[in-house]
Amino acid sequence: MPRVTTVEAFRLSLPLVHAFQTSSHRKTHLEHILVRVADADGAVGWGEIASPSDPYYCSETVDICWLTLQRYLAPALRGADWDHPAQVRALWKRVRGHHFAKAGLDIACWDLWSRAAGTPLARALGGDRRAIEAGVSLGIEPTIDDLLVQVGRYAAEGYRRIKLKIAPGWDVEPVRAVRAAHPGLPLHVDANGAYGEDQSEVFTALDRFGLTMIEQPYAPGALAAHARLQARLETPVCLDESVDDLDQLDTALELGAGRVLNIKVSRMGGLTVAGIAHDRAVEAGWRVWCGGMHEFGVGRAANVAIAALPGFTLPSDVSGSDKYYAHDVVEPPIRATEGRVPVPETPGLGHEIDEPLVRRLASATLTV
Ligand code: OSB
Ligand code: MG
């Protein structure tokens, strides 16, 4: 029975190889929190809190995660008895929300447990794939020509689909240009909730480009508006920000607010909940895929593991580390070959964490 005796956390910022612009903001560096848990036998597990620095994607910023981890979540985990990592989320069920911070600890407990059991994390979660299909997410570029360069590059690398960020003023024209240059490429768009229902003619126009899906067109709470849009579009609507927890998922499934779910381990609060969301959405006839938050190698390896579950039939936003970071914190770094990322066959996350590097780069550390 693992009993976590120490929780350590490290704040660190890594430079992006290419600035990323969405409907709300532009980033050149990302700051995440790495979490290390250890038990009395000296077994160790690592997790990542991949929350944004600014409250544009969700309200849970990196500063808030740091405090929540220190004051509530790490103290709840420390010293508690559990047999299986699926039980740990019950330890912090009184804490409302704070899914990114919970996800970091949940991943670390799954890693600790599956390493100790000698089992690859993907297998511990019930995944049977040997490799997962990878797609890339491309930000808003200064010009359509710049975007075409990016699309050409990742299509040539063999990625299985390309997702384009859109926003009012950067939607139908860039999609038209990419579609004209790549007629057969699996393509989808992500609006990050930047549109109102009064702008729904944009989606009528986008419905003609054979997109695999339109991700999060409206604001997170607008489930009824998403259902009305889905009812009149051929293109599947995909929910991301709208589904933070299993109750919201049940409501979305009941309303028919889409046909596809982007499952993010971070947004949903960990691997256990992500697995339950996968089961429920697939059972209801929706398609699912694994989204990302530009994770460093620790969170990226957790995404690879969950994406090995059988219901993840659409390519995931789990590109190689090299799309984002020149030097990742894990060994070996995550790599895609011809648009496929291998699922590790070694215990736990299947990647070693460069702990000296993490300690050296950390701008702050905490120990509970
Ligand atoms: O909406 O999927 C999103 C990154 C940060 C915030 C929101 C989103 C994203 C991505 C990144 O699209 C996907 C990735 O990690 O490669
Ligand atoms: Mg999204």
Side-chain angles (χ1 to χ4, degrees):
M1 174 173 296
R3 185 183 285 174
V4 170
T5 49
T6 322
V7 178
E8 282 181 279
F10 308 88
R11 279 180 82 137
L12 65 146
S13 173
L14 292 182
L16 288 166
V17 296
H18 184 78
F20 196 88
Q21 166 106 38
T22 68
S23 58
S24 58
H25 62 294
R26 181 172 187 276
K27 284 303 216 193
T28 58
H29 286 70
L30 291 179
E31 185 185 32
H32 291 173
I33 300 169
L34 294 178
V35 183
R36 181 187 186 274
V37 299
D39 74 7
D41 301 328
V44 169
W46 284 86
E48 178 172 339
I49 300 176
S51 60
S53 299
D54 312 297
Y56 304 141
Y57 172 80
C58 62
S59 56
E60 197 187 344
T61 61
V62 66
D63 297 305
I64 292 170
C65 288
W66 188 255
L67 289 177
T68 308
L69 180 70
Q70 183 173 34
R71 293 205 194 148
Y72 301 100
L73 304 180
L77 176 65
R78 207 176 78 97
D81 288 322
W82 46 279
D83 292 315
H84 189 272
Q87 296 163 348
V88 298
R89 72 190 183 107
L91 299 172
W92 45 70
K93 66 171 188 281
R94 288 194 307 141
V95 177
R96 290 228 166 99
H98 297 285
H99 291 176
F100 281 73
K102 289 174 179 174
L105 276 185
D106 169 282
I107 295 166
C109 291
W110 274 97
D111 182 39
L112 173 97
W113 183 84
S114 53
R115 268 182 213 262
T119 310
L121 179 57
R123 308 293 170 243
L125 291 165
D128 52 6
R129 290 176 203 281
R130 305 183 68 83
I132 63 154
E133 305 258 301
V136 289
S137 169
L138 300 182
I140 293 169
E141 291 289 331
T143 67
I144 288 180
D145 283 343
D146 292 318
L147 179 66
L148 288 169
V149 169
Q150 294 296 317
V151 173
R153 173 177 167 191
Y154 289 105
E157 282 187 27
Y159 279 104
R160 301 294 162 124
R161 66 97 171 110
I162 287 182
K163 139 170 155 183
L164 307 177
K165 292 285 180 183
I166 58 166
W170 179 268
D171 40 43
V172 179
E173 290 318 313
V175 171
R176 190 195 311 283
V178 171
R179 188 38 101 212
H182 301 272
L185 180 72
L187 191 64
H188 91 245
V189 294
D190 184 1
N192 287 109
Y195 294 83
E197 204 174 10
D198 57 341
Q199 296 163 299
S200 73
E201 74 287 351
V202 169
F203 304 110
T204 311
L206 290 173
D207 207 19
R208 293 193 290 264
F209 293 108
L211 302 174
T212 319
M213 70 189 90
I214 296 173
E215 184 177 342
Q216 199 67 44
Y218 301 144
L223 285 176
H226 283 97
R228 285 189 288 272
L229 182 66
Q230 183 64 91
R232 66 173 190 77
L233 291 187
E234 296 273 340
T235 311
V237 169
C238 167
L239 299 181
D240 175 355
E241 288 92 324
S242 284
V243 178
D244 267 353
D245 62 37
L246 297 170
D247 292 325
Q248 288 167 346
L249 175 58
D250 289 340
T251 307
L253 296 175
E254 196 168 318
L255 287 175
R259 292 192 207 128
V260 178
L261 180 65
N262 168 343
I263 297 181
K264 288 187 185 173
V265 174
S266 294
R267 190 193 72 231
M268 304 238 32
L271 290 161
T272 305
V273 190
I276 299 170
H278 158 276
D279 298 348
R280 278 194 203 176
V282 169
E283 165 78 25
W286 285 35
R287 300 191 72 186
V288 306
W289 55 284
C290 177
M293 291 298 298
H294 299 150
E295 283 84 355
F296 302 169
V298 174
R300 197 167 289 273
N303 292 344
V304 170
I306 195 89
L309 295 187
F312 286 91
T313 54
L314 288 162
S316 295
D317 269 347
V318 186
S319 31
S321 304
D322 53 333
K323 176 177 184 283
Y324 292 116
Y325 306 105
H327 191 112
D328 203 344
V329 296
V330 297
E331 267 303 319
I334 284 110
R335 284 283 179 267
T337 312
E338 282 304 309
R340 290 166 73 81
V341 176
V343 176
E345 297 293 342
T346 46
L349 289 167
H351 294 260
E352 289 315 311
I353 286 69
D354 187 344
E355 194 168 324
L357 180 76
V358 170
R359 291 186 186 274
R360 190 153 49 76
L361 292 181
S363 64
T365 63
L366 69 81
T367 307
V368 174

